[in-house]
Structures are given as structure tokens and as C-alpha cells.
Amino acid sequence: MKKTIATTNKHFSNSKKRENMIVNAVHSSVKVEGSKITKKELKEHYKLIRS
């Protein structure tokens, strides 16, 4: 099996951890840009995209 970030990083080990890591990263980025979006809104958006 090819070693990639998705297969070796503990934050990608299951779908829930992957979702939390992505939401946290995006939330950090939007805070820097001054956006007022919440983590709850980001989680809802992530679920819509992944479904």
C-alpha cells in the first residue's frame, strides 16, 4: 500500500477524526481572514459536501 498522509497520519485514521481535523483547519483559516462562521456551520457544510 502506498504511504500517503491519509494513511499515515493519526488524524485521518477514521472519518470522524478526519472531519474534526478539516473543520478545525478551515475554522482557523477563516478566523484569520475575519469571517464570523462558526464550527457548527462548517460541520454542517462538510456533511453536505461528503454526502
Side-chain angles (χ1 to χ4, degrees):
M1 180 165 74
K2 184 177 177 182
K3 280 192 168 187
T4 64
I5 291 172
T7 59
T8 59
N9 190 330
K10 65 182 178 180
H11 298 293
F12 283 109
S13 62
N14 64 37
S15 62
K16 189 67 177 166
K17 284 184 179 184
R18 184 179 302 120
E19 176 186 342
N20 285 335
M21 195 272 312
I22 291 171
V23 167
N24 287 338
V26 172
H27 187 256
S28 297
S29 296
V30 297
K31 275 192 344 187
V32 169
E33 294 176 1
S35 179
K36 302 264 191 259
I37 195 165
T38 64
K39 281 189 179 183
K40 184 177 180 181
E41 292 170 326
L42 287 172
K43 283 185 181 187
E44 290 171 5
H45 183 70
Y46 181 84
K47 287 179 183 175
L48 285 173
I49 290 172
R50 299 298 292 181
S51 61

